Amino acid sequence: AYWTMAGVPSPGMECLGLRLVHFDGNEPSPADNRRRVLGSMVSVMAACIGLAWAFVDEECLTWQDHISRTFPTPVRAQYGIRR
């Protein structure tokens, strides 16, 4: 939660080469980051159903992704580099 609220990638996201992006392609705002933290708490408190939702969502997004309108994406996508 600290990393999201601070607007910086967590060590895990950096290790995996991920960054958070708003649905419109821009960087998430501080309000988006707060909604993501709140959405994460709701997802976990609801017996992790919000996290498991990614298995049935057509875009593989969790509740916190939908609530905050942000999602993790590879850093390489920012530069148009494909493997």
Side-chain angles (χ1 to χ4, degrees):
Y2 167 78
W3 308 107
T4 302
M5 292 296 286
V8 296
S10 70
M13 288 183 69
E14 282 191 359
C15 181
L16 295 173
L18 298 174
R19 67 187 182 101
L20 276 182
V21 180
H22 192 273
F23 281 4
D24 65 9
N26 294 317
E27 294 294 317
S29 69
D32 294 329
N33 290 336
R34 286 190 298 274
R35 281 192 294 273
R36 186 166 185 86
V37 170
L38 177 66
S40 296
M41 288 184 216
V42 170
S43 293
V44 171
M45 289 181 354
C48 294
I49 293 171
L51 301 174
W53 186 260
F55 294 112
V56 297
D57 186 82
E58 65 184 44
E59 296 176 318
C60 299
L61 299 177
T62 61
W63 285 359
Q64 63 262 29
D65 298 328
H66 287 288
I67 291 169
S68 66
R69 300 184 54 81
T70 63
F71 62 97
T73 188
V75 172
R76 292 178 182 265
Q78 175 182 4
Y79 305 106
I81 299 171
R82 297 180 188 203
R83 288 184 172 194

